[in-house]
Every structure is written in structure tokens, then in C-alpha cells.
Amino acid sequence: HEAKQQHDGFRHFSPHTGQDSTARLSLLGDLRRGLDDAGQFTLHYQAKIRLTDGSVTGVEALARWHHPVKGPVSPGQFVPVLETTSLIHRFTERVLTIALRQARIWLDAGHRVPVAVNVSTRSLLDETFPGRLAALLDSSGVPGDMLCVEITEYTVMSDPATTIAALHQIRALGVKTSIDDFGTGYSSLAYLKLLPVDELKIDRSFVADMVTDPSSRALVASAVDLAHNLGLTVVAEGVEDAPTAEALSQLDCDTAQGSFFARPVPADEVSLTRRPLPLTTS
Ligand code: C2E
Ligand code: MG
Ligand code: MG
Ligand code: MG
């Protein structure tokens, strides 16, 4: 799976894969130069849709890197490389700055649409992160509750105490918190009740085949119940068709994201209006 793959990629970044290291070092150089350039990194935004009425409950910011020679490089490829150095902090700061600027634009246009930003393990666990976040929020003039921080289960597992402390500080700013790719980690249940989070996002690997695979459906149903019993909002990722949207709706899943509703697009192409749901009522 994605989050796991990223983690594995990070781990296996060692001298015995000589060629791979060389490629990564060269990518790191390109990333460093890219971060000095104002235009190479942009954000796309993907709506989160409420399944009961088709309204947009928020948008998720997804980083896009346009490499000057290679063209588009996906975040799944470059974020794990950034994570190997402190460059990740500059990247996180860049993403937050762009996302908050966009949240301000939407607010000024009368849209109260919270923007979710993915924050990597190394950035979240940096002790200066909550303070930096407070400063960025302050200078953006965006209220805390118009921002959501998405972290993965992997971050929680790698350092539960620091994660919990950071999430408390982030929430004290009014910022919402979310656990991304839920179900792909292993010790989540032990920590879930201790985590100051508002939202749980079920990983798309379970959502993708929930209509055809009864065990995936059972996992999604359990995650929805677990989230609700803990008072959290639940989001299903990667919804690609109507039968999946309908199945999620039947399981009382609150919100969904995926190509069936909206793909990640540049800010000016995001539709924030309620959309008709092609779901049959049961
Ligand atoms: P994620 O946060 O779980 O984001 C969801 C990924 O699924 C996105 O891939 C999105 O484009 C993709 N997706 C959305 N709908 C569908 C669908 O219906 N079907 C399928 N197959 N995929 C769908 P993307 O944009 O390539 O990002 C991949 C991962 O990279 C993200 O997973 C997140 O972990 C990371 N990432 C993206 N932007 C950032 C960022 O700004 N900072 C950090 N630290 N990580 C980021
Ligand atoms: Mg995410
Ligand atoms: Mg996710
Ligand atoms: Mg995912």
C-alpha cells in the first residue's frame, strides 16, 4: 500500500542500492532548486462530499511538482525523498502558505470551506511545527477552523507521545485534525482513543473493492462504526463509482472523496456547490 510503500522506500534508501541512491541524490538536488523557484510547486484541491446531501464539507490540498525537465512528478515519488532531509520543512511551509492563501480567497468570496493539508511524519514530529503553524495562520488571517491537518497512522505509530502532544497544540489553534489512510497501520486501535482527532479517513485500498469483496466491506463498516463511536467524522477515500458511493451511504459513512465526485484540480476549477447525488434512497 501507498503509505507503507513510502515508508519502505525511505527505509531502503541505503548505500547497497547504489544506483537508486544516485537517482535520489539527483532528485534531491532538483527538489532543493525547485523549492527556490516560486512556480514549480503548486496545489490541486479535491472536494470532500457529504453523502447525505451532496454538499462540499471541505477540500484537500494535494501537492503537484512540475520538474523542469521530467515534467509532473507525483507526491508519492518526491515526498518520501524530501522526508530524508530537513528540506521537508521548507516544503511543508510552502504547502501551508499556498493552502492558507487559497482558503483566504475562498473565504473572501463567501465560501467557508476548510482546506486540509497533508503533513508528513518528520514535519509533524518537529517540535517547532505547532509554533510555525500558529505563525502561518496568524499572517494569513484565516481562522483556525478553516484548516485541517491530515497525518497518517504511520506518524502516530512512529512516535505516539510526540504525535499526541503535537495534535493537542494544533487543535488548541482551532485547527481540525484527521487520520489519513486509516486501516493501513497496525497499532491504530491502541492509540485511537488517545488521539485528539476530528476525522478518520478510510484508506482507498478498502474502499476500492468493498462492493465486490465482503471482507473489504466488513472492514469499511467496522471503521465507520469505530469512528462514530469515538465521535469522529468518517471519510471514504478513492470512491470511483456510483455503487461504491451507494454502499458507503448505506453504511452511514459521512463523507466521500474520489474521482466519482471530483478529481483533484487547480483552485479555479474547484466546484464548491452542492451536487445532486445519483444515489437511490433505501
Ligand atoms: P492521500 O493524502 O491519501 O491523497 C489521496 C490520493 O489519492 C491523491 O493522490 C489523490 O489524487 C488520489 N485519488 C483521489 N481520488 C482518487 C480515486 O478516485 N481513485 C484513485 N485511484 N486515486 C484517487 P496524490 O495526489 O498522488 O497524492 C498521493 C499521496 O501523496 C497523498 O495521499 C499524500 O499522502 C501525499 N501528499 C500529497 N500532497 C502532499 C503534501 O502536500 N504534503 C505531504 N506531506 N504529502 C502529500
Ligand atoms: Mg490526505
Ligand atoms: Mg489518504
Ligand atoms: Mg491514500
Side-chain angles (χ1 to χ4, degrees):
H1 180 267
E2 198 177 306
K4 234 180 98 199
Q5 272 167 14
Q6 285 183 11
H7 172 46
D8 288 351
F10 180 85
R11 266 192 172 161
H12 298 168
F13 176 39
S14 57
H16 68 84
T17 49
Q19 220 180 355
D20 196 38
S21 311
T22 309
R24 280 185 183 237
L25 279 177
S26 126
L27 197 61
L28 210 44
D30 293 348
L31 283 161
R32 185 174 285 114
R33 282 182 291 277
L35 283 165
D36 288 334
D37 178 334
Q40 286 189 29
F41 290 92
T42 56
L43 296 181
H44 280 188
Y45 299 88
Q46 183 177 36
K48 297 182 181 179
I49 306 293
R50 183 181 282 126
L51 286 168
T52 48
D53 65 4
S55 62
V56 176
T57 62
V59 295
E60 177 178 5
L62 294 158
R64 297 293 176 254
W65 181 28
H66 192 90
H67 187 285
V69 177
K70 294 177 183 148
V73 182
S74 72
Q77 286 174 278
F78 72 78
V79 171
V81 178
L82 281 171
E83 278 271 280
T84 63
T85 75
S86 59
L87 267 188
I88 188 69
H89 302 312
R90 282 185 63 198
F91 171 73
T92 301
E93 195 133 336
R94 176 74 55 87
V95 168
L96 282 165
T97 303
I98 303 172
L100 286 168
R101 195 187 299 145
Q102 187 55 47
R104 186 70 252 171
I105 291 170
W106 277 320
L107 271 178
D108 291 343
H111 301 293
R112 286 187 59 81
V113 53
V115 178
V117 169
N118 294 283
V119 175
S120 69
T121 302
R122 191 160 171 173
S123 285
L124 187 93
L125 296 179
D126 185 284
E127 61 185 8
T128 66
F129 179 74
R132 285 168 192 261
L133 185 65
L136 288 169
L137 261 180
D138 206 49
S139 57
S140 71
V142 172
D145 65 348
M146 289 295 106
L147 184 69
C148 174
V149 164
E150 293 190 6
I151 65 162
T152 66
E153 271 187 283
Y154 174 68
T155 304
V156 181
M157 284 148 55
S158 67
D159 188 342
T162 307
T163 300
I164 291 167
L167 292 176
H168 275 296
Q169 287 177 276
I170 291 166
R171 266 185 140 194
L173 303 169
V175 173
K176 303 291 177 202
T177 55
S178 174
I179 299 293
D180 205 351
D181 300 341
F182 182 76
T184 60
Y186 303 98
S187 62
S188 50
L189 285 182
Y191 290 109
L192 206 51
K193 68 166 188 171
L194 298 173
L195 285 176
V197 292
D198 301 288
E199 180 185 270
L200 191 151
K201 299 183 74 171
I202 306 172
D203 191 68
R204 73 161 186 264
S205 57
F206 306 110
V207 176
D209 60 1
M210 64 177 288
V211 171
T212 49
D213 182 347
S215 53
S216 285
R217 189 189 165 95
L219 278 163
V220 172
S222 307
V224 170
D225 287 346
L226 178 66
H228 286 166
N229 289 333
L230 292 169
L232 312 180
T233 300
V234 61
V235 184
E237 310 185 312
V239 179
E240 296 182 348
D241 52 45
T244 306
E246 191 156 343
L248 287 164
S249 192
Q250 276 166 13
L251 294 178
D252 278 330
C253 180
D254 305 297
T255 318
Q257 270 183 301
S259 58
F260 177 65
F261 294 108
R263 291 175 186 282
V265 289
D268 58 0
E269 291 171 35
V270 174
S271 167
L272 296 173
T273 53
R274 197 170 83 78
R275 57 214 67 204
L277 289 174
L279 308 175
T280 56
T281 41
S282 49

